[in-house]
Amino acid sequence: MTNSDSAPVPVLVIDDERDIRDGCQRILSRQGCSVDKAPDGAAGLEAMERSPADIVLLDLKMPGMDGLEVLKLLRQSHPQVLVIVITGYATVETAIEAMKLGAYDFLPKPFQPDQLRLTVGRAMERLRLTRETERLERERRQTLADLAGEQSRLRTVISALPLGILVTQTDGQVVLHNPTFCQMAGLEPDSAPGQDISRYLREPKVHELARRASQQEQDQQGDPPAVEFTTDQERTLLAQATPVLGEGGASLGAVLVFIDVTPYRMLDQLRQEFVAKVSHELRSPLSTILLQLTLLLGEEGTAPPQGHRHLLSRARERTQGLISFVRDLLDLSRLEDGGATAAEPVPVSPGKMLAAVKEALSPQAQSRGMTLSLELPEEPLPLLLADPVGVESVFTNLAANAINYSPDGGRVTLKAWAEGGMLKVTVSDEGFGIEPEKVGKIFDRFYRIKNEKTRYVTGTGLGLPIVKSVVDSLGGTVEVDSELGKGSSFTVTLPVE
Ligand code: ADP
């Protein structure tokens, strides 16, 4: 059999008449066939063994082996071969007999070249279609095998993942989960899918997460939505949900991925406790050192010699820096603790608080020839319900930064107003400003921008993280608008009582 459409189709002509054999060869060679010839049945069968043809033109009446006999043997040894029977003694009976024995077509002698071309052309077309069908069938089998292989690989990957996986339909029915999920959720390892998600996990936050992801019609940008929760087995799990989108973007359900974050949370807890403890332990000795240095520097008569005085001043400055660092660390630990040690919220007047902050920072601003102003509306501002120490630290940190990161003689403005049931406070300066790519980082702990302008400003990189923590805990937001060389403006939005 030939493999390609362009290769010549092998044809065998078995006929005792030489003219017929040669005539067929001449005509068919021009039709894209390679023609072999045999003068009788035995030679024909032999030729087929030597090099099998796809189409055989077979004379029925030949000396020696009868054509029908040859046909029978041919069909046995080469079931695929297309046999076109040719005979001068065509009768309906022989034709029927030949067809019964599996002949493909019938060509009565004498025939015209066109008749031959037409009949063989039909056989060639039939061959082409058969091959095409076989090729498609092979491909279909291959695709099915590939798919089965792919599915099995995917199942293995999902089973072996150290992450919990749960796949739900839009109605919340679980269609797939992996052994890690069963272990995390405290289920039997062989628990079967098929039931509502609430049968596998009790946490309502996760049900809601799956429901929301299932209703999503499009892939969303950024991280998928997530919730953290504690299981009955006291494990802290982080669940992330991604919608499964079908054709046209319609949702088919959700894939939930569960990560066991228990060790991280424990470490976090330890780290917080450690920082709180160390800061606490450092605070009193540092305060004592500061006091002693101040005494040494201040005591008339016992004042140290000039050189020592400078060293002592430096030591006092550094100690003051350390004390404010420790204070910031303690503030942060307190906030991380969920404000457990924070005071009960009380009504706070933002106007009064801002006036006090301005008052406290004025000497610092004046010493550098700066203007620090406060703009309040005519009508009184609504009250905040918060821990006053926290609110004060927000405004103080922002205003101190505005002063610190401005050149001498600059202007800093604190402004407050009520808008849409919220309190808005803006602290703006005309100082150094922040490069756009760094704005996203300034709320990270210990992050400080280091450049020519800021290198002489002392700080800890903890001021803005504290601001953010307090504002978050009050359900508010902080926004930054800054331009390098022009100045910055920090706007805090807080819900009012
Ligand atoms: P610190 O002031 O102790 O360095 P912060 O967390 O308060 O820490 O601020 C982080 C960084 O953000 C600062 O180091 C500074 O580079 C930048 N920054 C904060 N406020 C301003 C401001 N008003 N103008 C310019 N840069 C600022």
PDB file of all heavy atoms in Angstrom, residues 320-329 332 397 401 404-405 444-448 457-466:
ATOM      1  N   GLN A 320      18.937  58.940  72.315  1.00  0.00           N
ATOM      2  CA  GLN A 320      17.575  59.409  72.045  1.00  0.00           C
ATOM      3  C   GLN A 320      17.002  58.674  70.831  1.00  0.00           C
ATOM      4  O   GLN A 320      15.850  58.250  70.842  1.00  0.00           O
ATOM      5  CB  GLN A 320      17.596  60.911  71.762  1.00  0.00           C
ATOM      6  CG  GLN A 320      16.860  61.671  72.823  1.00  0.00           C
ATOM      7  CD  GLN A 320      17.343  63.116  72.914  1.00  0.00           C
ATOM      8  OE1 GLN A 320      18.248  63.533  72.181  1.00  0.00           O
ATOM      9  NE2 GLN A 320      16.758  63.851  73.825  1.00  0.00           N
ATOM     10  N   GLY A 321      17.851  58.514  69.813  1.00  0.00           N
ATOM     11  CA  GLY A 321      17.427  57.787  68.605  1.00  0.00           C
ATOM     12  C   GLY A 321      17.016  56.368  68.945  1.00  0.00           C
ATOM     13  O   GLY A 321      15.977  55.876  68.491  1.00  0.00           O
ATOM     14  N   LEU A 322      17.849  55.702  69.798  1.00  0.00           N
ATOM     15  CA  LEU A 322      17.549  54.324  70.193  1.00  0.00           C
ATOM     16  C   LEU A 322      16.235  54.245  70.953  1.00  0.00           C
ATOM     17  O   LEU A 322      15.432  53.332  70.749  1.00  0.00           O
ATOM     18  CB  LEU A 322      18.664  53.787  71.084  1.00  0.00           C
ATOM     19  CG  LEU A 322      19.800  53.063  70.366  1.00  0.00           C
ATOM     20  CD1 LEU A 322      20.844  52.638  71.370  1.00  0.00           C
ATOM     21  CD2 LEU A 322      19.248  51.830  69.657  1.00  0.00           C
ATOM     22  N   ILE A 323      16.012  55.235  71.822  1.00  0.00           N
ATOM     23  CA  ILE A 323      14.776  55.217  72.611  1.00  0.00           C
ATOM     24  C   ILE A 323      13.569  55.361  71.689  1.00  0.00           C
ATOM     25  O   ILE A 323      12.568  54.646  71.835  1.00  0.00           O
ATOM     26  CB  ILE A 323      14.795  56.338  73.679  1.00  0.00           C
ATOM     27  CG1 ILE A 323      15.816  55.955  74.756  1.00  0.00           C
ATOM     28  CG2 ILE A 323      13.418  56.535  74.292  1.00  0.00           C
ATOM     29  CD1 ILE A 323      16.010  56.985  75.831  1.00  0.00           C
ATOM     30  N   SER A 324      13.679  56.231  70.658  1.00  0.00           N
ATOM     31  CA  SER A 324      12.501  56.371  69.791  1.00  0.00           C
ATOM     32  C   SER A 324      12.319  55.117  68.944  1.00  0.00           C
ATOM     33  O   SER A 324      11.204  54.719  68.628  1.00  0.00           O
ATOM     34  CB  SER A 324      12.565  57.649  68.964  1.00  0.00           C
ATOM     35  OG  SER A 324      13.508  57.504  67.958  1.00  0.00           O
ATOM     36  N   PHE A 325      13.439  54.456  68.604  1.00  0.00           N
ATOM     37  CA  PHE A 325      13.346  53.193  67.864  1.00  0.00           C
ATOM     38  C   PHE A 325      12.605  52.140  68.698  1.00  0.00           C
ATOM     39  O   PHE A 325      11.679  51.465  68.237  1.00  0.00           O
ATOM     40  CB  PHE A 325      14.756  52.720  67.518  1.00  0.00           C
ATOM     41  CG  PHE A 325      14.813  51.418  66.785  1.00  0.00           C
ATOM     42  CD1 PHE A 325      14.137  51.249  65.592  1.00  0.00           C
ATOM     43  CD2 PHE A 325      15.555  50.352  67.280  1.00  0.00           C
ATOM     44  CE1 PHE A 325      14.194  50.048  64.900  1.00  0.00           C
ATOM     45  CE2 PHE A 325      15.616  49.153  66.602  1.00  0.00           C
ATOM     46  CZ  PHE A 325      14.932  49.005  65.413  1.00  0.00           C
ATOM     47  N   VAL A 326      13.026  52.041  69.973  1.00  0.00           N
ATOM     48  CA  VAL A 326      12.406  51.066  70.866  1.00  0.00           C
ATOM     49  C   VAL A 326      10.915  51.394  71.053  1.00  0.00           C
ATOM     50  O   VAL A 326      10.068  50.501  71.067  1.00  0.00           O
ATOM     51  CB  VAL A 326      13.162  51.057  72.219  1.00  0.00           C
ATOM     52  CG1 VAL A 326      12.371  50.327  73.270  1.00  0.00           C
ATOM     53  CG2 VAL A 326      14.529  50.439  72.029  1.00  0.00           C
ATOM     54  N   ARG A 327      10.609  52.705  71.124  1.00  0.00           N
ATOM     55  CA  ARG A 327       9.213  53.098  71.297  1.00  0.00           C
ATOM     56  C   ARG A 327       8.389  52.668  70.067  1.00  0.00           C
ATOM     57  O   ARG A 327       7.313  52.108  70.179  1.00  0.00           O
ATOM     58  CB  ARG A 327       9.136  54.612  71.499  1.00  0.00           C
ATOM     59  CG  ARG A 327       7.781  55.066  72.024  1.00  0.00           C
ATOM     60  CD  ARG A 327       7.623  56.562  71.894  1.00  0.00           C
ATOM     61  NE  ARG A 327       7.943  56.986  70.543  1.00  0.00           N
ATOM     62  CZ  ARG A 327       8.725  58.022  70.258  1.00  0.00           C
ATOM     63  NH1 ARG A 327       9.274  58.738  71.219  1.00  0.00           N
ATOM     64  NH2 ARG A 327       8.966  58.344  69.000  1.00  0.00           N
ATOM     65  N   ASP A 328       8.980  52.898  68.882  1.00  0.00           N
ATOM     66  CA  ASP A 328       8.290  52.485  67.653  1.00  0.00           C
ATOM     67  C   ASP A 328       8.062  50.973  67.629  1.00  0.00           C
ATOM     68  O   ASP A 328       6.992  50.489  67.269  1.00  0.00           O
ATOM     69  CB  ASP A 328       9.113  52.870  66.413  1.00  0.00           C
ATOM     70  CG  ASP A 328       8.979  54.351  66.102  1.00  0.00           C
ATOM     71  OD1 ASP A 328       8.161  55.016  66.770  1.00  0.00           O
ATOM     72  OD2 ASP A 328       9.701  54.832  65.207  1.00  0.00           O
ATOM     73  N   LEU A 329       9.110  50.218  68.025  1.00  0.00           N
ATOM     74  CA  LEU A 329       8.984  48.755  68.033  1.00  0.00           C
ATOM     75  C   LEU A 329       7.870  48.321  68.971  1.00  0.00           C
ATOM     76  O   LEU A 329       7.071  47.447  68.662  1.00  0.00           O
ATOM     77  CB  LEU A 329      10.290  48.104  68.485  1.00  0.00           C
ATOM     78  CG  LEU A 329      11.375  47.930  67.427  1.00  0.00           C
ATOM     79  CD1 LEU A 329      12.601  47.299  68.045  1.00  0.00           C
ATOM     80  CD2 LEU A 329      10.870  47.050  66.288  1.00  0.00           C
ATOM     81  N   LEU A 332       4.531  49.023  67.476  1.00  0.00           N
ATOM     82  CA  LEU A 332       4.206  48.041  66.435  1.00  0.00           C
ATOM     83  C   LEU A 332       3.755  46.725  67.049  1.00  0.00           C
ATOM     84  O   LEU A 332       2.766  46.132  66.628  1.00  0.00           O
ATOM     85  CB  LEU A 332       5.433  47.773  65.581  1.00  0.00           C
ATOM     86  CG  LEU A 332       5.459  48.386  64.198  1.00  0.00           C
ATOM     87  CD1 LEU A 332       6.584  47.780  63.401  1.00  0.00           C
ATOM     88  CD2 LEU A 332       4.152  48.157  63.459  1.00  0.00           C
ATOM     89  N   ASN A 397       3.407  61.182  63.341  1.00  0.00           N
ATOM     90  CA  ASN A 397       4.364  60.576  62.398  1.00  0.00           C
ATOM     91  C   ASN A 397       4.316  61.273  61.048  1.00  0.00           C
ATOM     92  O   ASN A 397       5.356  61.563  60.450  1.00  0.00           O
ATOM     93  CB  ASN A 397       4.037  59.089  62.203  1.00  0.00           C
ATOM     94  CG  ASN A 397       4.797  58.223  63.189  1.00  0.00           C
ATOM     95  OD1 ASN A 397       6.009  58.319  63.271  1.00  0.00           O
ATOM     96  ND2 ASN A 397       4.083  57.402  63.931  1.00  0.00           N
ATOM     97  N   ASN A 401       7.356  63.518  59.578  1.00  0.00           N
ATOM     98  CA  ASN A 401       7.971  63.173  58.283  1.00  0.00           C
ATOM     99  C   ASN A 401       7.968  64.379  57.354  1.00  0.00           C
ATOM    100  O   ASN A 401       8.966  64.655  56.678  1.00  0.00           O
ATOM    101  CB  ASN A 401       7.197  62.040  57.604  1.00  0.00           C
ATOM    102  CG  ASN A 401       7.598  60.678  58.142  1.00  0.00           C
ATOM    103  OD1 ASN A 401       8.569  60.575  58.888  1.00  0.00           O
ATOM    104  ND2 ASN A 401       6.857  59.649  57.773  1.00  0.00           N
ATOM    105  N   ASN A 404      10.676  66.556  58.474  1.00  0.00           N
ATOM    106  CA  ASN A 404      12.003  65.950  58.289  1.00  0.00           C
ATOM    107  C   ASN A 404      12.423  65.881  56.829  1.00  0.00           C
ATOM    108  O   ASN A 404      13.593  66.026  56.514  1.00  0.00           O
ATOM    109  CB  ASN A 404      12.018  64.523  58.839  1.00  0.00           C
ATOM    110  CG  ASN A 404      12.036  64.535  60.351  1.00  0.00           C
ATOM    111  OD1 ASN A 404      12.437  65.525  60.950  1.00  0.00           O
ATOM    112  ND2 ASN A 404      11.575  63.448  60.965  1.00  0.00           N
ATOM    113  N   TYR A 405      11.440  65.593  55.953  1.00  0.00           N
ATOM    114  CA  TYR A 405      11.803  65.400  54.545  1.00  0.00           C
ATOM    115  C   TYR A 405      11.494  66.636  53.710  1.00  0.00           C
ATOM    116  O   TYR A 405      11.087  66.547  52.568  1.00  0.00           O
ATOM    117  CB  TYR A 405      11.116  64.145  53.988  1.00  0.00           C
ATOM    118  CG  TYR A 405      11.555  62.912  54.764  1.00  0.00           C
ATOM    119  CD1 TYR A 405      10.715  62.305  55.681  1.00  0.00           C
ATOM    120  CD2 TYR A 405      12.846  62.421  54.603  1.00  0.00           C
ATOM    121  CE1 TYR A 405      11.134  61.216  56.431  1.00  0.00           C
ATOM    122  CE2 TYR A 405      13.277  61.337  55.346  1.00  0.00           C
ATOM    123  CZ  TYR A 405      12.424  60.735  56.262  1.00  0.00           C
ATOM    124  OH  TYR A 405      12.851  59.670  56.999  1.00  0.00           O
ATOM    125  N   ASP A 444       6.388  49.667  54.111  1.00  0.00           N
ATOM    126  CA  ASP A 444       7.025  48.426  54.568  1.00  0.00           C
ATOM    127  C   ASP A 444       7.885  48.738  55.793  1.00  0.00           C
ATOM    128  O   ASP A 444       8.517  49.796  55.862  1.00  0.00           O
ATOM    129  CB  ASP A 444       7.943  47.847  53.484  1.00  0.00           C
ATOM    130  CG  ASP A 444       7.145  47.337  52.303  1.00  0.00           C
ATOM    131  OD1 ASP A 444       5.911  47.279  52.425  1.00  0.00           O
ATOM    132  OD2 ASP A 444       7.781  47.016  51.283  1.00  0.00           O
ATOM    133  N   ARG A 445       7.939  47.759  56.699  1.00  0.00           N
ATOM    134  CA  ARG A 445       8.749  47.978  57.894  1.00  0.00           C
ATOM    135  C   ARG A 445      10.217  48.171  57.560  1.00  0.00           C
ATOM    136  O   ARG A 445      10.757  47.454  56.716  1.00  0.00           O
ATOM    137  CB  ARG A 445       8.662  46.766  58.799  1.00  0.00           C
ATOM    138  CG  ARG A 445       7.413  46.813  59.567  1.00  0.00           C
ATOM    139  CD  ARG A 445       7.302  45.579  60.331  1.00  0.00           C
ATOM    140  NE  ARG A 445       5.884  45.309  60.463  1.00  0.00           N
ATOM    141  CZ  ARG A 445       5.414  44.247  61.030  1.00  0.00           C
ATOM    142  NH1 ARG A 445       6.240  43.335  61.482  1.00  0.00           N
ATOM    143  NH2 ARG A 445       4.134  44.094  61.135  1.00  0.00           N
ATOM    144  N   PHE A 446      10.834  49.085  58.214  1.00  0.00           N
ATOM    145  CA  PHE A 446      12.276  49.395  58.114  1.00  0.00           C
ATOM    146  C   PHE A 446      12.668  49.940  56.745  1.00  0.00           C
ATOM    147  O   PHE A 446      13.841  50.100  56.464  1.00  0.00           O
ATOM    148  CB  PHE A 446      13.142  48.164  58.437  1.00  0.00           C
ATOM    149  CG  PHE A 446      12.843  47.582  59.792  1.00  0.00           C
ATOM    150  CD1 PHE A 446      12.242  46.338  59.923  1.00  0.00           C
ATOM    151  CD2 PHE A 446      13.141  48.299  60.945  1.00  0.00           C
ATOM    152  CE1 PHE A 446      11.936  45.819  61.166  1.00  0.00           C
ATOM    153  CE2 PHE A 446      12.848  47.780  62.195  1.00  0.00           C
ATOM    154  CZ  PHE A 446      12.241  46.542  62.314  1.00  0.00           C
ATOM    155  N   TYR A 447      11.702  50.206  55.880  1.00  0.00           N
ATOM    156  CA  TYR A 447      12.067  50.734  54.556  1.00  0.00           C
ATOM    157  C   TYR A 447      12.337  52.223  54.667  1.00  0.00           C
ATOM    158  O   TYR A 447      11.526  52.985  55.180  1.00  0.00           O
ATOM    159  CB  TYR A 447      10.955  50.482  53.533  1.00  0.00           C
ATOM    160  CG  TYR A 447      11.364  50.976  52.167  1.00  0.00           C
ATOM    161  CD1 TYR A 447      12.216  50.234  51.366  1.00  0.00           C
ATOM    162  CD2 TYR A 447      10.947  52.224  51.701  1.00  0.00           C
ATOM    163  CE1 TYR A 447      12.635  50.704  50.132  1.00  0.00           C
ATOM    164  CE2 TYR A 447      11.363  52.699  50.470  1.00  0.00           C
ATOM    165  CZ  TYR A 447      12.206  51.939  49.693  1.00  0.00           C
ATOM    166  OH  TYR A 447      12.627  52.409  48.477  1.00  0.00           O
ATOM    167  N   ARG A 448      13.518  52.645  54.209  1.00  0.00           N
ATOM    168  CA  ARG A 448      13.858  54.064  54.193  1.00  0.00           C
ATOM    169  C   ARG A 448      14.456  54.380  52.831  1.00  0.00           C
ATOM    170  O   ARG A 448      15.194  53.581  52.283  1.00  0.00           O
ATOM    171  CB  ARG A 448      14.894  54.386  55.274  1.00  0.00           C
ATOM    172  CG  ARG A 448      14.481  53.945  56.680  1.00  0.00           C
ATOM    173  CD  ARG A 448      15.269  54.690  57.736  1.00  0.00           C
ATOM    174  NE  ARG A 448      14.934  56.096  57.723  1.00  0.00           N
ATOM    175  CZ  ARG A 448      15.801  57.077  57.883  1.00  0.00           C
ATOM    176  NH1 ARG A 448      17.078  56.796  58.068  1.00  0.00           N
ATOM    177  NH2 ARG A 448      15.428  58.339  57.850  1.00  0.00           N
ATOM    178  N   VAL A 457      18.777  62.659  57.571  1.00  0.00           N
ATOM    179  CA  VAL A 457      17.576  62.556  58.407  1.00  0.00           C
ATOM    180  C   VAL A 457      17.638  61.235  59.166  1.00  0.00           C
ATOM    181  O   VAL A 457      17.787  60.172  58.547  1.00  0.00           O
ATOM    182  CB  VAL A 457      16.298  62.567  57.532  1.00  0.00           C
ATOM    183  CG1 VAL A 457      15.057  62.524  58.403  1.00  0.00           C
ATOM    184  CG2 VAL A 457      16.290  63.778  56.615  1.00  0.00           C
ATOM    185  N   THR A 458      17.576  61.302  60.500  1.00  0.00           N
ATOM    186  CA  THR A 458      17.604  60.045  61.240  1.00  0.00           C
ATOM    187  C   THR A 458      16.176  59.499  61.316  1.00  0.00           C
ATOM    188  O   THR A 458      15.206  60.259  61.360  1.00  0.00           O
ATOM    189  CB  THR A 458      18.133  60.224  62.678  1.00  0.00           C
ATOM    190  OG1 THR A 458      17.455  61.322  63.242  1.00  0.00           O
ATOM    191  CG2 THR A 458      19.616  60.432  62.709  1.00  0.00           C
ATOM    192  N   GLY A 459      16.053  58.200  61.330  1.00  0.00           N
ATOM    193  CA  GLY A 459      14.728  57.596  61.389  1.00  0.00           C
ATOM    194  C   GLY A 459      14.870  56.085  61.494  1.00  0.00           C
ATOM    195  O   GLY A 459      15.983  55.552  61.436  1.00  0.00           O
ATOM    196  N   THR A 460      13.743  55.413  61.657  1.00  0.00           N
ATOM    197  CA  THR A 460      13.783  53.964  61.872  1.00  0.00           C
ATOM    198  C   THR A 460      13.115  53.200  60.735  1.00  0.00           C
ATOM    199  O   THR A 460      13.261  51.993  60.623  1.00  0.00           O
ATOM    200  CB  THR A 460      13.018  53.617  63.160  1.00  0.00           C
ATOM    201  OG1 THR A 460      11.693  54.129  63.017  1.00  0.00           O
ATOM    202  CG2 THR A 460      13.663  54.230  64.373  1.00  0.00           C
ATOM    203  N   GLY A 461      12.339  53.888  59.910  1.00  0.00           N
ATOM    204  CA  GLY A 461      11.575  53.182  58.870  1.00  0.00           C
ATOM    205  C   GLY A 461      10.360  52.491  59.462  1.00  0.00           C
ATOM    206  O   GLY A 461       9.788  51.591  58.854  1.00  0.00           O
ATOM    207  N   LEU A 462       9.978  52.909  60.673  1.00  0.00           N
ATOM    208  CA  LEU A 462       8.808  52.273  61.308  1.00  0.00           C
ATOM    209  C   LEU A 462       7.617  53.220  61.423  1.00  0.00           C
ATOM    210  O   LEU A 462       6.515  52.795  61.761  1.00  0.00           O
ATOM    211  CB  LEU A 462       9.187  51.773  62.706  1.00  0.00           C
ATOM    212  CG  LEU A 462      10.074  50.529  62.739  1.00  0.00           C
ATOM    213  CD1 LEU A 462      10.490  50.208  64.163  1.00  0.00           C
ATOM    214  CD2 LEU A 462       9.346  49.341  62.135  1.00  0.00           C
ATOM    215  N   GLY A 463       7.844  54.520  61.128  1.00  0.00           N
ATOM    216  CA  GLY A 463       6.768  55.505  61.301  1.00  0.00           C
ATOM    217  C   GLY A 463       5.553  55.204  60.440  1.00  0.00           C
ATOM    218  O   GLY A 463       4.430  55.073  60.945  1.00  0.00           O
ATOM    219  N   LEU A 464       5.772  55.050  59.129  1.00  0.00           N
ATOM    220  CA  LEU A 464       4.624  54.818  58.238  1.00  0.00           C
ATOM    221  C   LEU A 464       3.961  53.451  58.467  1.00  0.00           C
ATOM    222  O   LEU A 464       2.737  53.363  58.402  1.00  0.00           O
ATOM    223  CB  LEU A 464       5.040  55.019  56.778  1.00  0.00           C
ATOM    224  CG  LEU A 464       5.343  56.492  56.421  1.00  0.00           C
ATOM    225  CD1 LEU A 464       5.756  56.624  54.959  1.00  0.00           C
ATOM    226  CD2 LEU A 464       4.140  57.377  56.702  1.00  0.00           C
ATOM    227  N   PRO A 465       4.745  52.360  58.736  1.00  0.00           N
ATOM    228  CA  PRO A 465       4.056  51.099  59.081  1.00  0.00           C
ATOM    229  C   PRO A 465       3.134  51.262  60.287  1.00  0.00           C
ATOM    230  O   PRO A 465       2.043  50.681  60.327  1.00  0.00           O
ATOM    231  CB  PRO A 465       5.202  50.140  59.407  1.00  0.00           C
ATOM    232  CG  PRO A 465       6.375  50.689  58.684  1.00  0.00           C
ATOM    233  CD  PRO A 465       6.185  52.162  58.575  1.00  0.00           C
ATOM    234  N   ILE A 466       3.563  52.077  61.254  1.00  0.00           N
ATOM    235  CA  ILE A 466       2.699  52.302  62.424  1.00  0.00           C
ATOM    236  C   ILE A 466       1.435  53.045  61.984  1.00  0.00           C
ATOM    237  O   ILE A 466       0.314  52.682  62.341  1.00  0.00           O
ATOM    238  CB  ILE A 466       3.459  53.085  63.521  1.00  0.00           C
ATOM    239  CG1 ILE A 466       4.541  52.178  64.128  1.00  0.00           C
ATOM    240  CG2 ILE A 466       2.516  53.610  64.590  1.00  0.00           C
ATOM    241  CD1 ILE A 466       5.410  52.848  65.168  1.00  0.00           C
TER     242      ILE A 466
END
